[in-house]
Amino acid sequence: MNSVKTDVPCSLDAQLLIDSVELPEFEAHDKQQTKYTTCYMCACRCGIKVTVEDNQVRFIQGNPNHPINKGVLCAKGNSGIMKQNSPAKLSAPMLRKPGTERGAGEFEIISWARALDILEKRLAQIRATDPKKLAYFTGRDQMQALTGMWASQFGTLNWAAHGGFCSVNMAAGGLYTMGHAFWEFGDPDWDNTKYFVMWGVAEDHSSNPIKIGLKKLKERGAKFVSVNPVRTGYQAIADEWISIRPGTDGLLALSMVHVLLRHQLVDEEFLIRYTNSPQLVVNTPGVKGDGLFYRRAGEIQIWDQTTDSFADARRTDVAPALFGEFKAPDGTPLRTAMSILLHKYLDDAYAPENAAKECGVDAETIERLALEMAQVAFRETITLDIEWTDWAGRKQDKFIGRPVSMHAMRGISAHSNGFQTCRAIHLLQILLGTIDCPGGHLAKPPFPKHVPPGIKPAKECAPNTPLKSPPLGFPTCPEDLVIDAAGNPLRIDKAYSWDAPISCHGLMHMVISNAAKGDPYKIDTLMLFMANMAWNSSMNSAQTLEMLCAREDDGEYKIPFIVCSDAFHSEMVAYSDLILPDTTYLERYDTISMLDRPISEPHAACDSVRIPVIQPDRDVLSWQEVMIEMAGRLKFPAFTTPEGERRYEGYKDFIVNFQKQPGIGFLAGYRGADGSKSLRGEPNPRQWEAYEENEGFFEFQLEPNQRYMRHANRDYMELAKEAGWVGSTDQILIELYSEKLQTFRLAGQGLYDGPMPTEEHHKERLVKYFDPLPFFYMPLEEQRIDRDEYPFHAVNQRPMFMYHSWDSQNAWLRQIMSQNYLFMNRVAGEKAGIKELSWVWVESHNGKIRAQVKLMEGCNEQTVWTWNAIAKKGGAWGLSKDANEATDAFLMNHLISELLPAKGDQQDRITNSDPVTGQAAWYDLRVKITPAADGETGTWPLFSSHEPLPGAQASPQMLSYSSHKNVNLKRPMLDILTRGEK
Amino acid sequence: MHPAFSVLIFTVTSGAGYGLFALMVLAQLAGLNALQDSTLLLSGAVLALLMITIGLLSSTLHLANPKNAWRSFARFRTSWLSREAVFAVLFYPVALLYLFGIYAQGSELSSLYSACGVVAALLAMVTLFCTSMIYASLKTIRQWCTALTPLNYLSMGLMSGALCLATLQALLQDGLSPVLRSAGLGLIALGAVVKLIYLFWIGKPAGATIKTATGFTQASVRLLDAGHSAGTFLTNEFGYTVAANKLLRLRFAMVALAFVVPFLLLMQGHAAATVLAALLALAGLLVERWLFFAEARHVVRLYHGDQRT
Amino acid sequence: MAKLGLVVDLDTCVGCHGCATACKQWNTSGTIGPLSDKDPYGRDPSGTWLNRVRTYEVGDTPNSKTVHMPMSCMHCEDAACVTVCPTGASYKRKEDGIVLVDQDKCMGCNLCSWACPYGARELDPQAGTMKKCTLCVDRIYDEKLPQAERQPACVLTCPTSSRVFGDFDDPNSDVSRLTRERGGQQLMPELGYNPVNTYLPPRNKKVVESYQIKPSLGATLKQWVNKVITR
């Protein structure tokens, strides 16, 4: 496991050298302590080993034993000292000064007692009257299991984290297809894969594991293909870079599917055993029931070739026909899902020659890539001679590996066709039989889950009453939508409405816009944790700032009260009424819980904790403590004893003693009274200490026979059920054909026995986009603007050294980048008469910005791009008012509308998001570029600066951080005077 | 290279001082009539020492940690800067002895003081040579790493020294001595020729390119990202860039100020014209020295995106 | 005697800057620390770094490649920075070839940085002394650190293991072997400084065969025949 960093320079005979030189003692080790915790510089959650002296950080390094990072650390993790020492740290609770404007940034420091009282009164009032008037949204937090549970207990539907504007398309695309997905849900089998395709990965999700994996590929000589309009970061070391036009990845994937099907290069055994492709689908267009599976006595049917008769699809003693058209006894025409699939993708629309026109990837390349994958999958198969038992109890003597793997992320996700594109990529993986097999795409416990996971979103809320289920879940049919009888949204973000029916992570990007409009209703309090919605985390940032300050006719703010918890002086702070200062990641207890998306690796179930390594020097309280405190004060049932007393003293107590079901809590490790039980066991009062003693994490290795084919692996499924990861040990059937999507399509067609939309545009969207098989469509913005007027795609990515982090405040990281440029292909730039480092206007349907251009080779010719979130408001994040981030850097967000481009139709007020999942369509943006006039330089628009907060430490002019006085290695004077040239 | 003003002042004034001192001593000892005048010799020696001292003091201004300046004598064995420091210091006692000799004995010096004069003149030239070798020994800067650099420093030092000497002589005596005038004209011509050869020489494309620096010699290489947004020590020190047309204008100004106009003025032979010639030449040499730095392109620039040095 | 240095693998470096900040982090409290930063929160922040990562594009559209190139001190065998140093603050250790700056003796004249072709030396704006890579001399010999961690911070942290530390004098060391097997190159060898560190050039692109297809197969649905496969 820990092979990455064990190669010490064995040739360096350290002992010999030490004998020959006299070195001073550089480090006072006896004054230093080593502590283990979990990094939080991004979402990667690496284990870190922190050396501390005198409550100062000496050194943060990767924990060599940690399953995620195996000792390595990225640029952010290595800059944790500067996060801990940021002058932007909030120092005390603050209240907007009475009589001052929201956004003016004038605050008074108040005590925690007062802050918590204010919050308690406000929340109690809301909870007792109309709980959904609390909108509680969290940013990049890693405790959604807790915050979601808190929202449920509070009784508000209006809770979500940032997934809706980040990667819900990837999560939903996988979970609605095969029960696991990319990133937190699955990984390529780095140790065995021979062919790896990376789609739209913007140097991000995830950080160190991908880097460790890519190194393994390179060492082994596996081929690495990168599909990305921009060649930076990971793409730079790819064997082949496919410069795709943004938003067309789905077409590329399906064109490869076309090639595979044309040459009959699919894993038929895999399809028959593990997917629903042989299942029979009713083929009665225009009639109720069309496109649904053919059932008898409630059981889906297949056509059994051995008996030439219908049979229950779940039976194992059958030989299902993969292709064919059949007739039910009542005459209903049927065909297998695979037949539909063949029919669909063998269509000329998906032929490489036609796909090439849209994707910008030539037909020969498409064909070649598909055939290379087929070669590796079918001719370079690997087998692991490990005996395992399938779901039906049959012994299998080996795992067959088709060593083609893929990873896809934001470049796929952040388009309005991202869900279907993600499904298209999974389809390609599935046809090649590469799911959870050696060398393929592996699931990470607690995934895979049944398709989709069996949690339905809560639909009803009532005063002083917890929700019946979590606010977020996985709808499988229109009945699961969170809408009222008239079909109107019940959530403030309009998640689970006809606008975005399967928005399983919510639509955080719509909350402020909707709340300011009072559409679908007005809220009372917006509570944000670790989310910079007043700046780079919102689309249309400039207008979002106005929305945050918008008032009713009576002078009341349209969003009456805004609470924000953050550790740092983000742009959002100035737009809040009550500020609750959070601790830094080195100052807090935290759990990266198995109930959430833990840190598991494919072959090990893992979770981890944060344990304070530094004592805060400010009047701060971690948000999780505030959550537990409020839950106690508001007497949430799960936080209150039958006698009406507070059940938990605080966060640590809650984590140890809360049980979701008997024996299952937030942490899966070191359970049982004596800490000897794993995954399930009664609470262990010493659980925190056990984690501390075990370097802050828990790792449960799967047995070799539980490591692959887990969707159909009995030994694994039994473990998963025991651990509470799945509800049953039934096979997790991969759904190439999604009947669940078809139910929505039928609702759009008016052919559904259940809720159906009344508005025409909703019907059209359902019919078009809820295709039960993945398909390609042009992203919505592109459909609604003039493509000739806005000829360029505009996308953005976070640089590796700032990915998923808050780090323009970081004195080291901001030196690497404090200004972003608009990057453009050199040839395209030269054609357009745009010169290196010239200033240009970038204009979209939503507005314009001024930016400075850099020309480059590794960029698709129809694409411009930039590094995201480099721009900051002056004065925020501890930065000076004239910081480069405030004067030269720019946000692309101003160009992106949270609504679809206006055309004067009903869709004008619909979210600029994926019509299936509500995923924010950041990368649909199209722009035109015109040179700025002479003298027009500097970024535009410019924003007013923030004033320092009360109690803020001044940002120094010179920084010389050191945890101790340096021990200089002196050169002897004799040596100086006597040494010659060499 | 970033032209640090303190270093410009240092090299120009100390160069002129060393040149003045060396020429004066040699001319005196060679028996040049005009220089058998203790007032002139004393004034010349004092002026030279003053210029050298101002230059040396100025040079310490560019040290970031001057409290360790005394340590710079330590690495005489390898460092031209150390050698420069050692010789610069050695020069003082010998030069002062010579000065004392003039003060005590007038222009009729005993052999001891004469010897001091010769040694001091030699040390002056050696120091100037060491200064030039600081630059000429740097393989990282092709515009400097040439025998033309010591030639440049020595000829400019002697030229400016000659003009200072001529100025003093013209002011203290009635009219400029024809020998000094001829020497001055000759040294100006020499300086101009050396400079023109230098300018021609550095104009030839040569040396490392971004391709050889990065090791990718088969294709074009372009910098995409330097790894920092703002300037760094390296870009401040080595990234100094002047627009080509400005460089050209400054080259013309330098040639005119340092050589052409002083030459014409010196031809006039009036005291006032001589003074003006010396002052203009010093100003011209400041420009010359500024260009010497500004036109020097360190190879580290290749890593920051320059295609060639 | 040893010749310690680094091998940097340009085939696998993704340009994450992890080595650069790990270096900054370790050394700001290390033997030559602190590494100061001027205007850290203001306009044009500019600090002292001992290791910087630059990114180049090699070749023209469409045949181009992106290369990330981290650079720090090469610990040259014939280190001109040492030769030119007037105070003797800069020196090359006899024991292992590490080039160091004695912080107590440097006068901040910058000459060593002029002599260095690699941009490895940066003047600390606060201390006024020259700072440079120490190969983490204060880690690699520290017996109180676990054996596996006695490596330079940049090597320890590199997520793609693109940095390898070792003794070039030992032909069996990883650094010697990699340099030999992968054609490791010195940067600007023509200057004659004999840099110890080597760079491994990007590997040739991996070529995968295409599946040999039967040309007779057409594109129609009808040609698919059901096989009898038991579920």
Side-chain angles (χ1 to χ4, degrees):
Chain A
M1 282 298 286
N2 308 323
S3 62
V4 174
K5 277 296 163 190
T6 51
D7 48 334
V8 282
C10 44
S11 61
L12 170 61
D13 192 336
Q15 195 53 51
L16 186 86
L17 280 172
I18 287 160
D19 287 345
S20 68
V21 292
E22 276 187 34
L23 292 169
E25 192 174 347
F26 293 110
E27 303 281 316
H29 289 286
D30 49 346
K31 290 186 185 144
Q32 296 179 336
Q33 295 164 282
T34 304
K35 298 179 180 181
Y36 292 88
T37 185
T38 305
C39 187
Y40 205 161
M41 295 288 280
C42 74
C44 200
R45 306 162 301 178
C46 295
I48 50 174
K49 179 175 171 183
V50 186
T51 306
V52 181
E53 54 189 349
D54 195 20
N55 207 35
Q56 292 259 72
V57 181
R58 164 66 184 96
F59 192 50
I60 302 173
Q61 65 189 102
N63 177 357
N65 302 316
H66 198 272
I68 291 274
N69 57 314
K70 303 171 178 72
V72 308
L73 209 55
C74 71
K76 302 179 297 286
N78 275 300
S79 303
I81 288 175
M82 283 299 123
K83 179 171 220 145
Q84 183 61 32
N85 287 275
S86 164
K89 289 198 301 284
L90 300 177
S91 59
M94 277 173 265
L95 193 63
R96 178 161 60 85
K97 266 191 191 161
T100 66
E101 296 286 311
R102 184 183 285 164
E106 293 186 47
F107 294 94
E108 60 187 11
I109 289 180
I110 58 173
S111 67
W112 268 104
R114 186 161 166 227
L116 293 173
D117 282 347
I118 292 171
L119 187 62
E120 180 192 347
K121 286 205 181 74
R122 193 106 196 173
L123 293 180
Q125 160 71 17
I126 296 170
R127 188 164 188 258
T129 50
D130 186 359
K132 70 176 186 300
K133 296 263 179 192
L134 170 69
Y136 174 24
F137 286 81
T138 76
R140 296 136 164 169
D141 89 86
Q142 293 170 8
M143 50 173 175
Q144 292 168 32
L146 171 63
T147 58
M149 178 188 169
W150 191 97
S152 279
Q153 290 281 312
F154 184 90
T156 181
L157 297 172
N158 292 322
W159 170 84
H162 87 287
F165 66 70
C166 181
S167 59
V168 62
N169 270 339
M170 310 316 285
L175 295 177
Y176 276 82
T177 303
M178 58 192 195
H180 70 287
F182 294 117
W183 191 32
E184 289 163 310
F185 310 87
D187 264 344
D189 184 354
W190 299 112
D191 291 314
N192 293 302
T193 198
K194 296 181 185 172
Y195 198 100
F196 173 61
V197 188
M198 183 181 260
W199 303 74
V201 178
E203 303 206 308
D204 51 32
H205 310 66
S206 63
S207 170
N208 290 324
I210 287 184
K211 293 175 204 147
I212 295 171
L214 291 179
K215 174 71 176 187
K216 289 181 179 174
L217 300 190
K218 288 276 187 168
E219 290 290 294
R220 286 210 330 277
K223 178 163 179 174
F224 167 21
V225 178
S226 145
V227 181
N228 199 310
V230 179
R231 188 190 58 210
T232 55
Y234 305 144
Q235 336 303 330
I237 66 167
D239 293 294
E240 187 165 356
W241 172 54
I242 305 298
S243 164
I244 195 166
R245 186 168 77 81
T248 65
D249 305 72
L251 185 55
L252 176 63
L254 293 174
S255 186
M256 292 181 189
V257 166
H258 173 97
V259 174
L260 294 178
L261 295 177
R262 204 172 60 202
H263 301 297
Q264 299 196 1
L265 293 171
V266 299
D267 187 342
E268 291 179 49
E269 253 184 69
F270 186 91
L271 292 176
I272 286 171
R273 292 218 172 101
Y274 304 120
T275 77
N276 67 1
S277 54
Q279 295 185 355
L280 294 168
V281 180
V282 173
N283 183 17
T284 55
V287 179
K288 275 186 184 177
D290 175 49
L292 301 181
F293 286 122
Y294 172 58
R295 289 177 171 81
R296 297 171 84 172
E299 287 287 335
I300 297 171
Q301 300 293 300
I302 50 95
W303 182 261
D304 179 20
Q305 296 183 85
T306 46
T307 59
D308 269 345
S309 63
F310 294 109
D312 290 354
R314 295 207 291 180
R315 278 173 54 180
T316 50
D317 58 342
V318 291
L322 193 51
F323 321 98
E325 301 192 2
F326 305 90
K327 266 206 168 33
D330 63 2
T332 306
L334 309 170
R335 52 187 172 161
T336 67
M338 190 66 185
S339 288
I340 306 174
L341 189 148
L342 275 178
H343 188 76
K344 188 178 186 84
Y345 302 121
L346 283 174
D347 190 275
D348 266 354
Y350 291 108
E353 307 76 65
N354 292 322
K357 291 175 202 153
E358 283 290 309
C359 302
V361 182
D362 61 71
E364 298 78 54
T365 303
I366 299 175
E367 172 119 5
R368 176 175 54 77
L369 291 174
L371 294 177
E372 284 178 8
M373 283 188 242
Q375 170 75 16
V376 174
F378 302 126
R379 294 277 158 81
E380 298 181 21
T381 305
I382 50 179
T383 52
L384 298 185
D385 293 322
I386 298 167
E387 195 172 273
W388 61 288
T389 311
D390 73 14
W391 81 99
R394 296 171 295 192
K395 290 278 183 211
Q396 309 282 339
D397 59 356
K398 58 180 176 291
F399 288 116
I400 296 172
R402 307 208 177 279
V404 175
S405 64
M406 300 185 189
H407 180 63
M409 213 52 222
R410 296 250 315 142
I412 305 305
S413 188
H415 285 291
S416 57
N417 61 10
F419 173 76
Q420 291 288 14
T421 298
C422 182
R423 292 246 303 145
I425 294 171
H426 287 318
L427 172 64
L428 188 56
Q429 294 179 296
I430 294 162
L431 291 176
L432 291 166
T434 62
I435 303 304
D436 212 39
C437 71
H441 183 66
L442 305 180
K444 297 196 284 194
F447 298 91
K449 301 202 177 205
H450 290 90
V451 180
I455 306 161
K456 297 292 174 70
K459 302 168 67 160
E460 293 154 21
C461 62
N464 288 329
T465 312
L467 303 178
K468 292 198 183 79
S469 63
L472 297 179
F474 300 90
T476 55
C477 56
E479 285 84 344
D480 294 338
L481 294 181
V482 184
I483 51 178
D484 65 14
N488 296 314
L490 287 172
R491 284 178 56 112
I492 187 67
D493 57 0
K494 304 191 188 179
Y496 306 115
S497 74
W498 294 115
D499 284 1
I502 328 191
S503 40
C504 12
H505 288 177
L507 289 86
M508 187 165 176
H509 50 296
M510 297 307 296
V511 172
I512 292 170
S513 178
N514 290 352
K517 289 195 196 92
D519 173 20
Y521 48 80
K522 291 177 180 171
I523 59 166
D524 176 82
T525 293
L526 174 61
M527 190 159 79
L528 294 173
F529 170 56
M530 223 173 177
N532 200 12
M533 300 311 287
W535 196 242
N536 56 285
S537 293
S538 279
M539 293 167 152
N540 204 5
S541 308
Q543 276 154 294
T544 301
L545 295 179
E546 288 168 19
M547 294 174 200
L548 286 168
C549 300
R551 293 177 189 264
E552 304 284 2
D553 294 338
D554 64 3
E556 172 73 283
Y557 282 113
K558 289 190 169 176
I559 305 173
F561 197 62
I562 300 180
V563 183
C564 151
S565 173
D566 203 313
F568 304 100
H569 182 189
S570 73
E571 283 86 352
M572 188 64 221
V573 163
Y575 293 87
S576 307
D577 302 305
L578 178 64
I579 302 165
L580 302 174
D582 195 14
T583 53
T584 70
Y585 75 114
L586 295 176
E587 297 166 341
R588 72 164 84 205
Y589 288 97
D590 224 337
T591 53
I592 292 93
S593 167
M594 198 66 79
L595 302 182
D596 213 317
R597 281 163 285 172
I599 59 162
S600 295
E601 286 288 280
H603 298 156
C606 315
D607 63 14
S608 61
V609 299
R610 284 193 188 92
I611 294 171
V613 300
I614 292 284
Q615 294 310 311
D617 55 357
R618 309 167 317 286
D619 192 14
V620 295
L621 197 55
S622 74
W623 181 242
Q624 42 273 59
E625 290 292 358
V626 177
M627 289 279 91
I628 304 296
E629 174 70 22
M630 279 300 128
R633 290 193 187 196
L634 297 171
K635 300 205 181 306
F636 291 174
F639 292 78
T640 310
T641 62
E643 297 77 39
E645 298 298 312
R646 275 172 80 144
R647 192 186 282 266
Y648 305 109
E649 278 171 35
Y651 180 69
K652 285 177 73 181
D653 186 32
F654 167 77
I655 291 297
V656 166
N657 290 308
F658 171 77
Q659 295 183 74
K660 190 185 174 205
Q661 26 175 306
I664 300 219
F666 272 70
L667 291 172
Y670 319 109
R671 300 193 68 85
D674 61 353
S676 63
K677 293 181 181 166
S678 294
L679 306 180
R680 189 188 281 264
E682 61 278 25
N684 168 13
R686 287 195 72 259
Q687 196 176 25
W688 281 103
E689 289 77 2
Y691 270 86
E692 194 163 358
E693 287 152 16
N694 287 280
E695 302 187 353
F697 67 94
F698 160 71
E699 184 172 25
F700 181 86
Q701 290 284 345
L702 302 182
E703 295 298 327
N705 65 351
Q706 296 171 319
R707 291 182 179 177
Y708 300 100
M709 308 306 283
R710 281 166 283 189
H711 42 88
N713 183 325
R714 174 177 280 183
D715 293 319
Y716 172 79
M717 289 301 280
E718 282 172 355
L719 173 78
K721 183 156 189 295
E722 167 64 18
W725 302 336
V726 293
S728 87
T729 56
D730 291 349
Q731 180 187 16
I732 294 170
L733 196 67
I734 293 169
E735 298 195 356
L736 279 187
Y737 182 92
S738 177
E739 189 189 45
K740 286 142 191 132
L741 293 178
Q742 178 66 11
T743 61
F744 289 92
R745 174 177 262 190
L746 288 174
Q749 291 171 329
L751 301 174
Y752 190 69
D753 289 326
M756 288 192 284
T758 53
E759 295 195 45
E760 218 41 53
H761 66 286
H762 282 140
K763 294 178 189 172
E764 283 168 21
R765 282 163 62 100
L766 292 175
V767 171
K768 181 162 182 195
Y769 303 118
F770 279 73
D771 194 318
L773 285 170
F775 78 114
F776 169 74
Y777 57 93
M778 191 188 286
L780 302 188
E781 176 162 332
E782 212 173 328
Q783 289 181 30
R784 291 173 69 84
I785 49 108
D786 180 345
R787 298 216 290 173
D788 296 327
E789 189 186 352
Y790 300 104
F792 289 101
H793 293 266
V795 296
N796 60 75
Q797 56 176 331
R798 281 293 263 164
M800 272 190 211
F801 47 86
M802 288 190 183
Y803 141 65
H804 233 288
S805 68
W806 301 251
D807 282 317
S808 286
Q809 63 182 309
N810 192 300
W812 294 344
L813 296 175
R814 73 180 286 260
Q815 287 184 53
I816 300 175
M817 191 178 294
S818 53
Q819 180 187 356
N820 56 321
Y821 295 90
L822 187 76
F823 287 96
M824 202 173 181
N825 179 278
R826 182 177 55 81
V827 175
E830 284 166 0
K831 271 187 208 157
I834 289 167
K835 292 193 179 64
E836 174 83 355
L837 295 178
S838 64
W839 290 85
V840 294
W841 288 103
V842 189
E843 192 170 352
S844 75
H845 75 93
N846 194 54
K848 63 178 188 174
I849 58 173
R850 192 167 57 223
Q852 198 173 10
V853 167
K854 260 197 182 182
L855 302 176
M856 68 183 288
E857 308 299 311
C859 179
N860 177 276
E861 291 196 32
Q862 297 174 64
T863 304
V864 297
W865 71 277
T866 193
W867 299 112
N868 184 31
I870 300 299
K872 301 289 165 202
K873 282 177 96 176
W877 301 103
L879 300 180
S880 70
K881 290 178 181 176
D882 64 348
N884 309 62
E885 287 87 343
T887 56
D888 301 328
F890 67 92
L891 283 186
M892 213 172 241
N893 304 48
H894 305 308
L895 301 176
I896 305 171
S897 170
E898 77 278 22
L899 301 174
L900 291 176
K903 280 181 91 173
D905 60 17
Q906 283 179 303
Q907 293 199 56
D908 285 0
R909 52 186 280 269
I910 287 198
T911 175
N912 177 19
S913 301
D914 189 295
V916 180
T917 62
Q919 152 89 50
W922 300 96
Y923 297 168
D924 279 7
L925 181 64
R926 296 273 296 204
V927 298
K928 62 177 156 192
I929 315 272
T930 46
D934 284 345
E936 284 185 336
T937 58
T939 187
W940 191 91
L942 288 169
F943 293 83
S944 61
S945 293
H946 290 300
E947 294 304 322
L949 294 170
Q953 73 177 92
S955 298
Q957 308 290 308
M958 182 72 83
L959 179 64
S960 294
Y961 180 85
S962 188
S963 62
H964 60 247
K965 169 106 183 64
N966 69 312
V967 178
N968 184 39
L969 187 53
K970 288 187 194 304
R971 181 184 186 188
M973 204 61 206
L974 188 67
D975 187 56
I976 292 177
L977 294 175
T978 55
R979 209 122 47 114
E981 186 78 38
K982 208 172 183 185
Chain B
M1 298 295 293
H2 173 74
F5 192 65
S6 58
V7 177
L8 305 187
I9 292 286
F10 160 56
T11 57
V12 171
T13 56
S14 73
Y18 287 128
L20 164 60
F21 194 93
L23 282 175
M24 186 182 78
V25 170
L26 294 176
Q28 187 248 333
L29 295 176
L32 186 67
N33 277 340
L35 284 173
Q36 307 307 321
D37 168 357
S38 63
T39 312
L40 175 57
L41 290 172
L42 279 178
S43 316
V46 167
L47 178 65
L49 282 168
L50 205 62
M51 288 174 95
I52 291 165
T53 307
I54 287 172
L56 289 174
L57 287 177
S58 169
S59 78
T60 61
L61 290 180
H62 92 282
L63 298 182
N65 194 23
K67 71 172 192 290
N68 278 344
W70 65 273
R71 292 182 178 274
S72 62
F73 308 114
R75 289 297 298 159
F76 183 84
R77 296 183 61 142
T78 65
S79 168
W80 285 104
L81 177 49
S82 188
R83 290 167 191 162
E84 177 203 46
V86 169
F87 287 118
V89 169
L90 282 180
F91 168 79
Y92 273 98
V94 191
L96 285 171
L97 267 178
Y98 170 76
L99 194 60
F100 179 76
I102 301 284
Y103 175 73
Q105 302 177 345
S107 55
E108 300 292 324
L109 287 177
S110 68
S111 58
L112 171 70
Y113 291 121
S114 296
C116 283
V118 173
V119 172
L122 213 58
L123 283 172
M125 287 298 101
V126 169
T127 308
L128 197 49
F129 177 73
C130 289
T131 304
S132 70
M133 282 309 290
I134 293 172
Y135 305 103
S137 67
L138 293 173
K139 288 191 241 177
T140 47
I141 301 166
R142 72 170 184 90
Q143 289 84 356
W144 290 355
C145 188
T146 161
L148 290 172
T149 296
L151 196 58
N152 186 93
Y153 270 71
L154 289 170
S155 61
M156 300 303 150
L158 288 172
M159 176 192 106
S160 53
L163 283 168
C164 292
L165 184 59
T167 299
L168 279 180
Q169 187 267 329
L171 285 177
L172 293 174
Q173 300 169 357
D174 283 338
L176 181 57
S177 133
V179 179
L180 285 185
R181 191 177 75 154
S182 305
L185 289 173
L187 285 169
I188 292 174
L190 174 70
V193 169
V194 167
K195 196 73 230 179
L196 290 173
I197 292 173
Y198 176 81
L199 291 179
F200 175 76
W201 185 81
I202 65 167
K204 286 194 302 182
T209 67
I210 191 169
K211 294 184 189 182
T212 61
T214 54
F216 295 97
T217 51
Q218 303 299 314
S220 66
V221 178
R222 297 179 180 89
L223 177 75
L224 181 63
D225 196 318
H228 46 82
S229 283
T232 66
F233 169 77
L234 297 173
T235 59
N236 293 341
E237 195 73 2
F238 306 120
Y240 197 81
T241 301
V242 192
N245 56 353
K246 187 180 172 191
L247 274 184
L248 197 66
R249 283 203 302 274
L250 282 168
R251 279 182 172 197
F252 279 118
M254 179 259 286
V255 171
L257 274 176
F259 308 113
V260 178
V261 179
F263 191 88
L264 295 175
L265 286 170
L266 201 58
M267 289 211 344
Q268 300 299 312
H270 307 305
T274 312
V275 173
L276 195 58
L279 290 175
L280 286 179
L282 285 173
L285 287 184
L286 276 178
V287 179
E288 183 267 343
R289 216 41 56 90
W290 187 90
L291 281 167
F292 180 76
F293 279 86
E295 294 192 290
R297 298 165 64 83
H298 194 282
V299 288
V300 87
R301 296 171 65 113
L302 301 172
Y303 294 111
H304 288 89
D306 277 13
Q307 287 295 322
R308 58 187 65 81
T309 55
Chain C
M1 290 302 125
K3 187 160 95 183
L4 300 185
L6 301 171
V7 163
V8 178
D9 189 348
L10 299 181
D11 187 58
T12 52
C13 175
V14 294
C16 77
H17 292 264
C19 54
T21 58
C23 166
K24 180 101 170 143
Q25 186 198 183
W26 175 261
N27 287 298
T28 201
S29 302
T31 174
I32 57 159
L35 304 178
S36 308
D37 301 291
K38 192 168 169 295
D39 295 320
Y41 304 102
R43 187 160 183 83
D44 293 340
S46 180
T48 313
W49 296 65
L50 313 183
N51 183 14
R52 294 190 186 262
V53 184
R54 305 187 178 95
T55 305
Y56 302 95
E57 289 189 314
V58 181
D60 300 335
T61 301
N63 299 308
S64 66
K65 171 157 185 62
T66 305
V67 178
H68 300 289
M69 187 175 275
M71 285 177 66
S72 53
C73 176
M74 309 282 165
H75 299 281
C76 298
E77 290 193 71
D78 299 297
C81 54
V82 170
T83 310
V84 302
C85 176
T87 64
S90 276
Y91 66 112
K92 186 169 172 69
R93 283 163 51 85
K94 285 178 185 161
E95 300 85 351
D96 49 25
I98 298 176
V99 176
L100 286 178
V101 178
D102 182 337
Q103 294 297 309
D104 293 346
K105 300 191 173 68
C106 175
M107 68 176 189
C109 71
N110 289 354
L111 189 54
C112 55
S113 72
W114 292 9
C116 173
Y118 308 110
R121 290 169 165 255
E122 301 197 9
L123 188 83
D124 187 305
Q126 174 87 330
T129 52
M130 199 53 76
K131 304 279 170 93
K132 67 173 293 300
C133 163
T134 67
L135 265 185
C136 289
V137 66
D138 43 5
R139 289 190 65 81
I140 59 176
Y141 296 121
D142 188 342
E143 283 186 295
K144 292 197 174 139
L145 294 178
Q147 173 78 37
E149 293 181 15
R150 286 179 221 159
Q151 304 207 47
C154 58
V155 174
L156 200 64
T157 210
C158 178
T160 53
S161 309
S162 298
R163 305 174 73 90
V164 185
F165 164 68
D167 179 7
F168 283 82
D169 263 354
D170 174 357
N172 299 317
S173 67
D174 286 347
V175 288
S176 297
R177 184 183 53 76
L178 282 167
T179 302
R180 201 165 53 234
E181 291 173 1
R182 301 262 316 273
Q185 299 174 349
Q186 299 172 326
L187 294 186
M188 286 203 281
E190 67 273 19
L191 291 185
Y193 297 156
N194 272 321
V196 170
N197 291 4
T198 61
Y199 286 77
L200 307 181
R203 291 179 173 99
N204 289 332
K205 286 180 178 178
K206 169 79 181 172
V207 176
V208 169
E209 262 180 75
S210 281
Y211 195 99
Q212 287 304 307
I213 45 172
K214 294 175 212 129
S216 62
L217 274 175
T220 61
L221 207 60
K222 292 188 183 101
Q223 277 157 318
W224 288 80
V225 183
N226 273 311
K227 296 173 191 149
V228 178
I229 298 169
T230 311
R231 218 171 93 79

